Amino acid sequence: MREDDVLIEHRSFRFGPEEHLVINALHGQGRTYLKAASSQLMRNRFDSSASRLVVGGLDFMKYALRQRALQLPSESCYPDCLAHLLHRDVGLSTLGKVMERVAYRAPVFVKPALRAKRFTGLVLREANDYRMSGIPRSESVYHSEVVQWLSEWRCYVIGQELLFQACYAGNDRLMPDATIVAEALILMAQQPNAPMGYAIDFGVLACGRTALVECNDGFSVGAYGALPGESYLAMLQARWDQMVGMDARLVC
C-alpha cells in the first residue's frame, strides 16, 4: 500500500453513498484508494496503518484506529459551550429511568449517550415501546422534552469554516440564523481538543428560534443533500489527520 492511498470500507460487496461520494472526489483529484471489509480489520487480515485516510462506518473506524493503538474519540452531541443554544431541557440518565417517567408523564425524546449508534434518537410515548426491545435498561441516554422543528439543517465544518449546509428535514426555505451558526463555530473552535472536522445540526423551532439539534464528530458522519464530495473529503481528512496526530493536509 502506498502511503497516500485511502482505505474505504466495502460492505457486503458494495460501497455506501458516502463511500461513493469520497471515491468520486478522489477520482477528480487523481488519488488512489483501496477497499476492505470491517471484518478484515477486526481480524487483522488487512493492515490499515499506512493509510493516508480511512473512510467508513463506526466499527470500521474503530478497528482502523485500533491497528494504530488508538481509540475512538469520545464525543458529546451537546457540547457545554453551546448549551445556551439548545432552547430545551436536555438531561442524562438511564433508559430504564426515562421509560419509568414516560409511563406517567408526557412523551420524551431519547438518544444514546455513550454508544452513538446503539439506536436512533426517537420519541418515547409509552414505556413498553417495541423499538427499545433488547436494549439494556442501564443504557446511558440523553433525554429532552419534545419540541417541534420546522426545519433541520446539517452544517459541515473544518475549524471555524462552514463548508456546506443541507436541509435534511422540514421546510428547506427556513434556514437557521447564520449569525448564530457562526457564533457556535467560534465557540466550538475555542474548546480544548475540539474536532477539526465535524458536523453540527441546527434547526428552526416552531417559535422561530434557531436552536442546536446536535453535534456529530466528523470521522464518520452521513452526507446530506448536495454536499460536494471535495468538501466531504476535506472534512474527513482534517479530522483523520487530527486523530492520528498528523499535520493537517487538507484536500481542497
Side-chain angles (χ1 to χ4, degrees):
M1 178 189 291
R2 294 207 324 253
E3 189 176 353
D4 63 344
D5 279 330
V6 176
L7 179 62
I8 301 178
E9 182 175 11
H10 197 235
R11 305 181 186 92
S12 301
F13 306 103
R14 63 181 179 85
F15 291 115
E18 282 77 19
E19 287 77 21
H20 276 297
L21 190 63
V22 169
I23 288 170
N24 289 337
L26 291 172
H27 284 161
Q29 298 173 0
R31 299 180 66 189
T32 59
Y33 72 91
L34 297 174
K35 62 184 180 181
S38 183
S39 59
Q40 290 178 285
L41 299 192
M42 180 180 66
R43 296 179 174 87
N44 290 318
R45 293 177 179 174
F46 189 102
D47 184 7
S48 67
S49 60
S51 302
R52 178 66 186 84
L53 170 66
V54 176
V55 178
L58 196 61
D59 285 341
F60 192 74
M61 302 302 293
K62 177 178 69 176
Y63 300 139
L65 287 172
R66 189 174 67 182
Q67 289 186 337
R68 295 173 181 246
L70 298 171
Q71 294 182 339
L72 284 176
S74 59
E75 59 176 314
S76 171
C77 55
Y78 305 119
D80 291 341
C81 65
L82 303 184
H84 64 292
L85 299 179
L86 287 170
H87 298 304
R88 62 195 186 280
D89 293 328
V90 176
L92 182 63
S93 187
T94 64
L95 179 60
K97 290 181 179 179
V98 171
M99 295 182 81
E100 288 176 7
R101 296 174 193 169
V102 170
Y104 299 100
R105 301 181 185 178
V108 174
F109 175 80
V110 62
K111 64 173 296 179
L114 300 180
R115 296 187 290 177
K117 304 299 183 182
R118 188 67 177 87
F119 63 90
T120 301
L122 51 86
V123 175
L124 282 179
R125 301 187 183 278
E126 52 187 34
N128 60 346
D129 194 306
Y130 72 92
R131 294 171 295 179
M132 297 292 97
S133 176
I135 299 176
R137 295 299 183 261
S138 59
E139 185 79 24
S140 294
V141 296
Y142 289 112
H143 59 90
S144 68
E145 60 185 296
V146 178
V147 296
Q148 181 183 359
W149 298 100
L150 299 182
S151 67
E152 296 177 62
W153 295 72
R154 172 153 294 179
C155 303
Y156 297 88
V157 182
I158 293 180
Q160 293 181 213
E161 180 186 0
L162 175 60
L163 302 176
F164 186 79
Q165 56 184 351
C167 181
Y168 62 87
N171 188 342
D172 61 6
R173 292 177 294 178
L174 292 176
M175 298 183 65
D177 188 315
T179 301
I180 292 175
V181 174
E183 173 201 346
L185 302 194
I186 292 172
L187 291 173
M188 284 289 290
Q190 293 172 346
Q191 302 310 300
N193 302 316
M196 179 60 65
Y198 65 97
I200 183 168
D201 297 353
F202 282 94
V204 179
L205 294 168
C207 64
R209 274 181 165 177
T210 290
L212 173 68
V213 178
E214 64 179 16
C215 290
N216 290 277
D217 201 306
F219 65 82
S220 179
V221 67
Y224 291 165
L227 173 64
E230 292 77 11
S231 296
Y232 187 57
L233 177 59
M235 182 199 68
L236 295 175
Q237 187 76 69
R239 183 58 173 135
W240 177 257
D241 287 345
Q242 182 186 31
M243 289 194 302
V244 300
M246 298 172 65
D247 292 332
R249 289 172 285 176
L250 304 185
V251 184
C252 300

Tab-separated table of all heavy atoms in Angstrom, residues 82-139:
chain	number	residue	atom	x	y	z
A	82	LEU	N	-22.235	25.165	24.025
A	82	LEU	CA	-23.384	25.512	23.193
A	82	LEU	C	-24.708	25.257	23.904
A	82	LEU	O	-25.774	25.278	23.267
A	82	LEU	CB	-23.350	24.719	21.876
A	82	LEU	CG	-22.099	24.875	21.006
A	82	LEU	CD1	-22.260	24.104	19.711
A	82	LEU	CD2	-21.816	26.347	20.718
A	83	ALA	N	-24.667	25.041	25.216
A	83	ALA	CA	-25.887	24.723	25.965
A	83	ALA	C	-26.940	25.819	25.823
A	83	ALA	O	-28.149	25.534	25.812
A	83	ALA	CB	-25.547	24.496	27.436
A	84	HIS	N	-26.496	27.069	25.694
A	84	HIS	CA	-27.449	28.183	25.585
A	84	HIS	C	-28.192	28.195	24.253
A	84	HIS	O	-29.164	28.946	24.090
A	84	HIS	CB	-26.717	29.513	25.768
A	84	HIS	CG	-25.697	29.797	24.709
A	84	HIS	ND1	-24.527	29.070	24.575
A	84	HIS	CD2	-25.678	30.716	23.714
A	84	HIS	CE1	-23.831	29.538	23.558
A	84	HIS	NE2	-24.502	30.533	23.012
A	85	LEU	N	-27.755	27.367	23.316
A	85	LEU	CA	-28.404	27.300	22.005
A	85	LEU	C	-29.378	26.129	21.885
A	85	LEU	O	-29.995	25.951	20.840
A	85	LEU	CB	-27.352	27.209	20.896
A	85	LEU	CG	-26.389	28.394	20.793
A	85	LEU	CD1	-25.375	28.154	19.665
A	85	LEU	CD2	-27.143	29.696	20.549
A	86	LEU	N	-29.532	25.354	22.944
A	86	LEU	CA	-30.437	24.206	22.883
A	86	LEU	C	-31.906	24.640	22.906
A	86	LEU	O	-32.749	24.058	22.229
A	86	LEU	CB	-30.172	23.253	24.054
A	86	LEU	CG	-28.893	22.433	23.974
A	86	LEU	CD1	-28.624	21.727	25.307
A	86	LEU	CD2	-28.981	21.413	22.842
A	87	HIS	N	-32.201	25.606	23.745
A	87	HIS	CA	-33.577	26.113	23.914
A	87	HIS	C	-34.552	25.003	24.297
A	87	HIS	O	-35.728	25.018	23.914
A	87	HIS	CB	-34.046	26.833	22.651
A	87	HIS	CG	-33.221	28.031	22.310
A	87	HIS	ND1	-33.010	29.071	23.190
A	87	HIS	CD2	-32.521	28.339	21.182
A	87	HIS	CE1	-32.230	29.982	22.623
A	87	HIS	NE2	-31.916	29.560	21.419
A	88	ARG	N	-34.059	24.041	25.046
A	88	ARG	CA	-34.881	22.976	25.609
A	88	ARG	C	-34.051	22.301	26.688
A	88	ARG	O	-32.818	22.394	26.689
A	88	ARG	CB	-35.293	21.946	24.541
A	88	ARG	CG	-34.123	21.209	23.875
A	88	ARG	CD	-34.564	20.513	22.612
A	88	ARG	NE	-33.533	19.690	22.000
A	88	ARG	CZ	-32.541	20.152	21.229
A	88	ARG	NH1	-32.437	21.452	20.995
A	88	ARG	NH2	-31.663	19.319	20.691
A	89	ASP	N	-34.710	21.643	27.617
A	89	ASP	CA	-34.007	20.957	28.694
A	89	ASP	C	-33.504	19.601	28.208
A	89	ASP	O	-34.278	18.795	27.692
A	89	ASP	CB	-34.928	20.757	29.898
A	89	ASP	CG	-35.298	22.073	30.572
A	89	ASP	OD1	-34.459	22.985	30.558
A	89	ASP	OD2	-36.418	22.170	31.098
A	90	VAL	N	-32.212	19.370	28.371
A	90	VAL	CA	-31.595	18.093	27.992
A	90	VAL	C	-30.923	17.513	29.228
A	90	VAL	O	-30.165	18.206	29.910
A	90	VAL	CB	-30.562	18.272	26.859
A	90	VAL	CG1	-29.870	16.952	26.557
A	90	VAL	CG2	-31.234	18.827	25.608
A	91	GLY	N	-31.216	16.258	29.536
A	91	GLY	CA	-30.632	15.611	30.699
A	91	GLY	C	-29.955	14.302	30.339
A	91	GLY	O	-30.081	13.793	29.220
A	92	LEU	N	-29.227	13.751	31.306
A	92	LEU	CA	-28.525	12.481	31.134
A	92	LEU	C	-29.039	11.505	32.186
A	92	LEU	O	-29.094	11.828	33.375
A	92	LEU	CB	-27.019	12.685	31.291
A	92	LEU	CG	-26.110	11.473	31.094
A	92	LEU	CD1	-26.213	10.956	29.662
A	92	LEU	CD2	-24.666	11.834	31.417
A	93	SER	N	-29.445	10.328	31.748
A	93	SER	CA	-29.995	9.341	32.671
A	93	SER	C	-29.807	7.952	32.071
A	93	SER	O	-29.005	7.764	31.156
A	93	SER	CB	-31.483	9.632	32.926
A	93	SER	OG	-31.997	8.785	33.927
A	94	THR	N	-30.534	6.974	32.583
A	94	THR	CA	-30.542	5.633	32.008
A	94	THR	C	-31.862	5.421	31.288
A	94	THR	O	-32.877	6.072	31.598
A	94	THR	CB	-30.375	4.551	33.079
A	94	THR	OG1	-31.504	4.584	33.967
A	94	THR	CG2	-29.090	4.765	33.861
A	95	LEU	N	-31.854	4.503	30.348
A	95	LEU	CA	-33.076	4.230	29.602
A	95	LEU	C	-34.194	3.771	30.534
A	95	LEU	O	-35.359	4.170	30.370
A	95	LEU	CB	-32.801	3.168	28.544
A	95	LEU	CG	-33.992	2.749	27.690
A	95	LEU	CD1	-34.557	3.930	26.919
A	95	LEU	CD2	-33.593	1.624	26.730
A	96	GLY	N	-33.855	2.953	31.516
A	96	GLY	CA	-34.871	2.455	32.434
A	96	GLY	C	-35.578	3.573	33.179
A	96	GLY	O	-36.808	3.581	33.293
A	97	LYS	N	-34.814	4.537	33.680
A	97	LYS	CA	-35.415	5.645	34.427
A	97	LYS	C	-36.285	6.510	33.525
A	97	LYS	O	-37.352	6.986	33.933
A	97	LYS	CB	-34.325	6.480	35.093
A	97	LYS	CG	-33.626	5.762	36.239
A	97	LYS	CD	-32.569	6.646	36.872
A	97	LYS	CE	-31.895	5.924	38.039
A	97	LYS	NZ	-30.836	6.749	38.678
A	98	VAL	N	-35.814	6.718	32.285
A	98	VAL	CA	-36.598	7.520	31.356
A	98	VAL	C	-37.913	6.824	31.024
A	98	VAL	O	-38.978	7.462	30.972
A	98	VAL	CB	-35.791	7.802	30.065
A	98	VAL	CG1	-36.679	8.458	29.006
A	98	VAL	CG2	-34.599	8.702	30.374
A	99	MET	N	-37.857	5.528	30.827
A	99	MET	CA	-39.070	4.785	30.490
A	99	MET	C	-40.063	4.780	31.648
A	99	MET	O	-41.284	4.783	31.444
A	99	MET	CB	-38.718	3.368	30.056
A	99	MET	CG	-37.916	3.324	28.763
A	99	MET	SD	-37.526	1.659	28.181
A	99	MET	CE	-39.056	1.216	27.368
A	100	GLU	N	-39.560	4.798	32.872
A	100	GLU	CA	-40.449	4.908	34.030
A	100	GLU	C	-41.184	6.242	34.016
A	100	GLU	O	-42.380	6.312	34.321
A	100	GLU	CB	-39.637	4.766	35.325
A	100	GLU	CG	-39.130	3.356	35.593
A	100	GLU	CD	-38.250	3.299	36.826
A	100	GLU	OE1	-38.150	4.338	37.527
A	100	GLU	OE2	-37.665	2.233	37.088
A	101	ARG	N	-40.477	7.305	33.646
A	101	ARG	CA	-41.104	8.630	33.598
A	101	ARG	C	-42.150	8.700	32.491
A	101	ARG	O	-43.200	9.327	32.656
A	101	ARG	CB	-40.034	9.700	33.364
A	101	ARG	CG	-39.018	9.819	34.483
A	101	ARG	CD	-37.916	10.777	34.109
A	101	ARG	NE	-36.781	10.677	35.016
A	101	ARG	CZ	-35.603	11.235	34.805
A	101	ARG	NH1	-35.410	11.934	33.685
A	101	ARG	NH2	-34.631	11.104	35.662
A	102	VAL	N	-41.836	8.067	31.366
A	102	VAL	CA	-42.762	8.102	30.234
A	102	VAL	C	-44.106	7.491	30.610
A	102	VAL	O	-45.164	7.925	30.142
A	102	VAL	CB	-42.156	7.361	29.012
A	102	VAL	CG1	-43.194	7.187	27.912
A	102	VAL	CG2	-40.947	8.126	28.485
A	103	ALA	N	-44.082	6.508	31.468
A	103	ALA	CA	-45.324	5.828	31.856
A	103	ALA	C	-46.282	6.760	32.596
A	103	ALA	O	-47.489	6.532	32.610
A	103	ALA	CB	-45.000	4.623	32.734
A	104	TYR	N	-45.736	7.835	33.185
A	104	TYR	CA	-46.586	8.723	33.987
A	104	TYR	C	-46.625	10.159	33.473
A	104	TYR	O	-47.410	10.962	33.978
A	104	TYR	CB	-46.080	8.740	35.438
A	104	TYR	CG	-46.116	7.374	36.082
A	104	TYR	CD1	-44.954	6.611	36.184
A	104	TYR	CD2	-47.303	6.843	36.571
A	104	TYR	CE1	-44.985	5.346	36.771
A	104	TYR	CE2	-47.336	5.582	37.156
A	104	TYR	CZ	-46.176	4.847	37.249
A	104	TYR	OH	-46.199	3.609	37.825
A	105	ARG	N	-45.768	10.465	32.497
A	105	ARG	CA	-45.683	11.849	32.037
A	105	ARG	C	-45.814	11.928	30.519
A	105	ARG	O	-46.169	10.964	29.855
A	105	ARG	CB	-44.351	12.465	32.493
A	105	ARG	CG	-44.153	12.460	33.997
A	105	ARG	CD	-42.830	13.107	34.361
A	105	ARG	NE	-42.561	13.004	35.790
A	105	ARG	CZ	-41.447	13.449	36.377
A	105	ARG	NH1	-40.504	14.041	35.656
A	105	ARG	NH2	-41.281	13.317	37.676
A	106	ALA	N	-45.503	13.103	29.990
A	106	ALA	CA	-45.602	13.337	28.551
A	106	ALA	C	-44.485	12.608	27.805
A	106	ALA	O	-43.512	12.139	28.408
A	106	ALA	CB	-45.527	14.839	28.283
A	107	PRO	N	-44.614	12.489	26.489
A	107	PRO	CA	-43.571	11.839	25.684
A	107	PRO	C	-42.208	12.510	25.883
A	107	PRO	O	-42.113	13.696	26.214
A	107	PRO	CB	-44.076	12.021	24.251
A	107	PRO	CG	-45.549	12.192	24.390
A	107	PRO	CD	-45.756	12.925	25.676
A	108	VAL	N	-41.164	11.731	25.661
A	108	VAL	CA	-39.788	12.200	25.855
A	108	VAL	C	-38.951	11.803	24.650
A	108	VAL	O	-39.062	10.670	24.157
A	108	VAL	CB	-39.177	11.612	27.144
A	108	VAL	CG1	-37.701	11.994	27.271
A	108	VAL	CG2	-39.951	12.066	28.364
A	109	PHE	N	-38.095	12.722	24.199
A	109	PHE	CA	-37.124	12.371	23.164
A	109	PHE	C	-35.916	11.739	23.853
A	109	PHE	O	-35.429	12.240	24.875
A	109	PHE	CB	-36.682	13.602	22.375
A	109	PHE	CG	-35.595	13.309	21.360
A	109	PHE	CD1	-35.903	12.757	20.131
A	109	PHE	CD2	-34.253	13.563	21.657
A	109	PHE	CE1	-34.911	12.458	19.203
A	109	PHE	CE2	-33.258	13.269	20.736
A	109	PHE	CZ	-33.592	12.719	19.505
A	110	VAL	N	-35.414	10.649	23.274
A	110	VAL	CA	-34.297	9.936	23.890
A	110	VAL	C	-33.319	9.491	22.813
A	110	VAL	O	-33.718	9.146	21.696
A	110	VAL	CB	-34.816	8.727	24.707
A	110	VAL	CG1	-35.524	7.729	23.803
A	110	VAL	CG2	-33.703	8.045	25.474
A	111	LYS	N	-32.022	9.523	23.148
A	111	LYS	CA	-30.985	9.052	22.227
A	111	LYS	C	-29.801	8.541	23.043
A	111	LYS	O	-29.609	8.951	24.195
A	111	LYS	CB	-30.546	10.162	21.269
A	111	LYS	CG	-29.878	11.353	21.923
A	111	LYS	CD	-29.336	12.320	20.882
A	111	LYS	CE	-28.249	11.673	20.067
A	111	LYS	NZ	-27.696	12.552	19.037
A	112	PRO	N	-28.995	7.631	22.493
A	112	PRO	CA	-27.852	7.081	23.240
A	112	PRO	C	-26.855	8.166	23.618
A	112	PRO	O	-26.630	9.121	22.863
A	112	PRO	CB	-27.225	6.091	22.248
A	112	PRO	CG	-28.294	5.811	21.249
A	112	PRO	CD	-29.108	7.051	21.148
A	113	ALA	N	-26.258	8.007	24.787
A	113	ALA	CA	-25.284	8.991	25.256
A	113	ALA	C	-23.850	8.525	25.063
A	113	ALA	O	-22.970	9.326	24.752
A	113	ALA	CB	-25.529	9.303	26.725
A	114	LEU	N	-23.584	7.239	25.259
A	114	LEU	CA	-22.215	6.724	25.181
A	114	LEU	C	-21.965	5.933	23.912
A	114	LEU	O	-20.876	5.998	23.343
A	114	LEU	CB	-21.907	5.857	26.405
A	114	LEU	CG	-22.003	6.564	27.760
A	114	LEU	CD1	-21.673	5.593	28.888
A	114	LEU	CD2	-21.081	7.778	27.808
A	115	ARG	N	-22.960	5.193	23.461
A	115	ARG	CA	-22.806	4.386	22.241
A	115	ARG	C	-23.734	4.978	21.183
A	115	ARG	O	-24.913	4.620	21.085
A	115	ARG	CB	-23.125	2.921	22.531
A	115	ARG	CG	-22.159	2.296	23.518
A	115	ARG	CD	-22.380	0.807	23.660
A	115	ARG	NE	-23.629	0.507	24.359
A	115	ARG	CZ	-24.076	-0.724	24.553
A	115	ARG	NH1	-23.391	-1.760	24.084
A	115	ARG	NH2	-25.206	-0.932	25.211
A	116	ALA	N	-23.149	5.880	20.387
A	116	ALA	CA	-23.956	6.711	19.498
A	116	ALA	C	-24.831	5.928	18.538
A	116	ALA	O	-25.916	6.369	18.174
A	116	ALA	CB	-23.036	7.654	18.721
A	117	LYS	N	-24.381	4.770	18.104
A	117	LYS	CA	-25.123	4.003	17.099
A	117	LYS	C	-25.980	2.901	17.712
A	117	LYS	O	-26.513	2.056	16.992
A	117	LYS	CB	-24.142	3.395	16.089
A	117	LYS	CG	-23.223	4.401	15.406
A	117	LYS	CD	-23.987	5.441	14.618
A	117	LYS	CE	-23.029	6.385	13.895
A	117	LYS	NZ	-23.747	7.426	13.152
A	118	ARG	N	-26.100	2.910	19.051
A	118	ARG	CA	-26.872	1.837	19.701
A	118	ARG	C	-28.306	1.825	19.201
A	118	ARG	O	-28.894	0.789	18.976
A	118	ARG	CB	-26.830	2.029	21.218
A	118	ARG	CG	-27.426	0.860	22.008
A	118	ARG	CD	-26.566	-0.364	21.839
A	118	ARG	NE	-27.054	-1.488	22.629
A	118	ARG	CZ	-27.969	-2.362	22.208
A	118	ARG	NH1	-28.504	-2.240	21.023
A	118	ARG	NH2	-28.338	-3.356	22.983
A	119	PHE	N	-28.905	2.999	19.060
A	119	PHE	CA	-30.203	3.131	18.420
A	119	PHE	C	-30.366	4.568	17.961
A	119	PHE	O	-29.651	5.470	18.404
A	119	PHE	CB	-31.357	2.712	19.362
A	119	PHE	CG	-31.499	3.560	20.602
A	119	PHE	CD1	-32.297	4.697	20.616
A	119	PHE	CD2	-30.847	3.200	21.775
A	119	PHE	CE1	-32.434	5.465	21.758
A	119	PHE	CE2	-30.984	3.962	22.930
A	119	PHE	CZ	-31.775	5.096	22.917
A	120	THR	N	-31.281	4.782	17.049
A	120	THR	CA	-31.522	6.122	16.520
A	120	THR	C	-32.402	6.905	17.485
A	120	THR	O	-33.349	6.356	18.062
A	120	THR	CB	-32.216	6.032	15.151
A	120	THR	OG1	-31.386	5.282	14.264
A	120	THR	CG2	-32.439	7.414	14.559
A	121	GLY	N	-32.076	8.181	17.687
A	121	GLY	CA	-32.872	9.017	18.561
A	121	GLY	C	-34.343	8.988	18.171
A	121	GLY	O	-34.681	9.017	16.987
A	122	LEU	N	-35.217	8.922	19.174
A	122	LEU	CA	-36.653	8.802	18.896
A	122	LEU	C	-37.473	9.364	20.056
A	122	LEU	O	-36.954	9.638	21.142
A	122	LEU	CB	-37.020	7.337	18.643
A	122	LEU	CG	-36.554	6.311	19.680
A	122	LEU	CD1	-37.554	6.201	20.830
A	122	LEU	CD2	-36.387	4.941	19.032
A	123	VAL	N	-38.750	9.519	19.791
A	123	VAL	CA	-39.687	9.985	20.817
A	123	VAL	C	-40.358	8.779	21.455
A	123	VAL	O	-40.997	7.968	20.769
A	123	VAL	CB	-40.753	10.925	20.220
A	123	VAL	CG1	-41.789	11.297	21.287
A	123	VAL	CG2	-40.096	12.189	19.658
A	124	LEU	N	-40.189	8.643	22.764
A	124	LEU	CA	-40.851	7.580	23.514
A	124	LEU	C	-42.209	8.084	23.995
A	124	LEU	O	-42.291	9.113	24.677
A	124	LEU	CB	-40.008	7.171	24.720
A	124	LEU	CG	-38.800	6.267	24.480
A	124	LEU	CD1	-38.082	6.009	25.803
A	124	LEU	CD2	-39.216	4.957	23.842
A	125	ARG	N	-43.244	7.367	23.644
A	125	ARG	CA	-44.598	7.753	24.058
A	125	ARG	C	-45.211	6.763	25.045
A	125	ARG	O	-46.223	7.054	25.673
A	125	ARG	CB	-45.495	7.894	22.830
A	125	ARG	CG	-44.984	8.933	21.843
A	125	ARG	CD	-45.968	9.182	20.717
A	125	ARG	NE	-45.420	10.126	19.753
A	125	ARG	CZ	-45.448	11.451	19.909
A	125	ARG	NH1	-46.015	11.976	20.979
A	125	ARG	NH2	-44.926	12.238	18.986
A	126	GLU	N	-44.598	5.597	25.146
A	126	GLU	CA	-45.080	4.588	26.099
A	126	GLU	C	-43.897	3.774	26.602
A	126	GLU	O	-42.884	3.602	25.901
A	126	GLU	CB	-46.117	3.680	25.445
A	126	GLU	CG	-45.684	3.053	24.143
A	126	GLU	CD	-46.811	2.302	23.458
A	126	GLU	OE1	-47.971	2.738	23.561
A	126	GLU	OE2	-46.510	1.273	22.825
A	127	ALA	N	-44.029	3.276	27.821
A	127	ALA	CA	-42.905	2.618	28.482
A	127	ALA	C	-42.504	1.308	27.822
A	127	ALA	O	-41.343	0.891	27.916
A	127	ALA	CB	-43.242	2.382	29.952
A	128	ASN	N	-43.421	0.646	27.154
A	128	ASN	CA	-43.105	-0.652	26.537
A	128	ASN	C	-42.910	-0.523	25.030
A	128	ASN	O	-43.268	-1.428	24.277
A	128	ASN	CB	-44.207	-1.661	26.843
A	128	ASN	CG	-45.578	-1.223	26.319
A	128	ASN	OD1	-45.740	-0.065	25.956
A	128	ASN	ND2	-46.532	-2.138	26.288
A	129	ASP	N	-42.330	0.574	24.594
A	129	ASP	CA	-42.083	0.808	23.175
A	129	ASP	C	-41.260	-0.345	22.591
A	129	ASP	O	-40.163	-0.636	23.066
A	129	ASP	CB	-41.356	2.137	22.990
A	129	ASP	CG	-41.351	2.618	21.540
A	129	ASP	OD1	-40.921	1.839	20.666
A	129	ASP	OD2	-41.782	3.752	21.282
A	130	TYR	N	-41.788	-0.979	21.550
A	130	TYR	CA	-41.120	-2.155	20.965
A	130	TYR	C	-39.741	-1.820	20.401
A	130	TYR	O	-38.880	-2.703	20.275
A	130	TYR	CB	-42.004	-2.753	19.859
A	130	TYR	CG	-42.067	-1.922	18.590
A	130	TYR	CD1	-41.190	-2.152	17.537
A	130	TYR	CD2	-43.010	-0.899	18.463
A	130	TYR	CE1	-41.238	-1.388	16.383
A	130	TYR	CE2	-43.057	-0.131	17.308
A	130	TYR	CZ	-42.180	-0.381	16.276
A	130	TYR	OH	-42.226	0.391	15.134
A	131	ARG	N	-39.512	-0.560	20.047
A	131	ARG	CA	-38.231	-0.173	19.458
A	131	ARG	C	-37.085	-0.247	20.470
A	131	ARG	O	-35.913	-0.254	20.093
A	131	ARG	CB	-38.329	1.243	18.880
A	131	ARG	CG	-39.272	1.357	17.688
A	131	ARG	CD	-39.501	2.801	17.290
A	131	ARG	NE	-40.194	3.548	18.345
A	131	ARG	CZ	-40.501	4.840	18.265
A	131	ARG	NH1	-40.164	5.528	17.182
A	131	ARG	NH2	-41.133	5.445	19.262
A	132	MET	N	-37.421	-0.320	21.740
A	132	MET	CA	-36.405	-0.430	22.787
A	132	MET	C	-36.146	-1.872	23.178
A	132	MET	O	-35.378	-2.150	24.099
A	132	MET	CB	-36.843	0.364	24.015
A	132	MET	CG	-36.987	1.863	23.784
A	132	MET	SD	-35.404	2.701	23.463
A	132	MET	CE	-35.409	2.772	21.662
A	133	SER	N	-36.781	-2.797	22.490
A	133	SER	CA	-36.597	-4.216	22.795
A	133	SER	C	-35.135	-4.620	22.607
A	133	SER	O	-34.509	-4.317	21.586
A	133	SER	CB	-37.495	-5.068	21.885
A	133	SER	OG	-37.273	-6.432	22.082
A	134	GLY	N	-34.576	-5.274	23.596
A	134	GLY	CA	-33.201	-5.743	23.506
A	134	GLY	C	-32.164	-4.746	23.972
A	134	GLY	O	-30.972	-5.081	24.055
A	135	ILE	N	-32.567	-3.524	24.272
A	135	ILE	CA	-31.618	-2.517	24.746
A	135	ILE	C	-31.637	-2.511	26.272
A	135	ILE	O	-32.709	-2.391	26.883
A	135	ILE	CB	-31.976	-1.120	24.198
A	135	ILE	CG1	-31.913	-1.142	22.671
A	135	ILE	CG2	-31.029	-0.063	24.763
A	135	ILE	CD1	-32.338	0.147	22.017
A	136	PRO	N	-30.491	-2.677	26.919
A	136	PRO	CA	-30.458	-2.739	28.388
A	136	PRO	C	-31.058	-1.487	29.019
A	136	PRO	O	-30.852	-0.369	28.537
A	136	PRO	CB	-28.962	-2.847	28.709
A	136	PRO	CG	-28.333	-3.345	27.455
A	136	PRO	CD	-29.150	-2.798	26.334
A	137	ARG	N	-31.786	-1.680	30.092
A	137	ARG	CA	-32.376	-0.531	30.803
A	137	ARG	C	-31.298	0.316	31.469
A	137	ARG	O	-31.552	1.439	31.887
A	137	ARG	CB	-33.407	-1.017	31.831
A	137	ARG	CG	-34.623	-1.701	31.188
A	137	ARG	CD	-35.339	-0.710	30.262
A	137	ARG	NE	-36.539	-1.281	29.675
A	137	ARG	CZ	-36.594	-1.782	28.452
A	137	ARG	NH1	-35.498	-1.824	27.708
A	137	ARG	NH2	-37.716	-2.258	27.973
A	138	SER	N	-30.086	-0.232	31.562
A	138	SER	CA	-28.967	0.522	32.149
A	138	SER	C	-28.263	1.409	31.123
A	138	SER	O	-27.326	2.132	31.474
A	138	SER	CB	-27.955	-0.446	32.757
A	138	SER	OG	-27.452	-1.342	31.760
A	139	GLU	N	-28.700	1.341	29.860
A	139	GLU	CA	-28.074	2.128	28.790
A	139	GLU	C	-28.138	3.623	29.117
A	139	GLU	O	-29.192	4.163	29.448
A	139	GLU	CB	-28.794	1.869	27.470
A	139	GLU	CG	-28.161	2.532	26.270
A	139	GLU	CD	-26.945	1.775	25.749
A	139	GLU	OE1	-26.847	0.561	25.983
A	139	GLU	OE2	-26.109	2.423	25.104
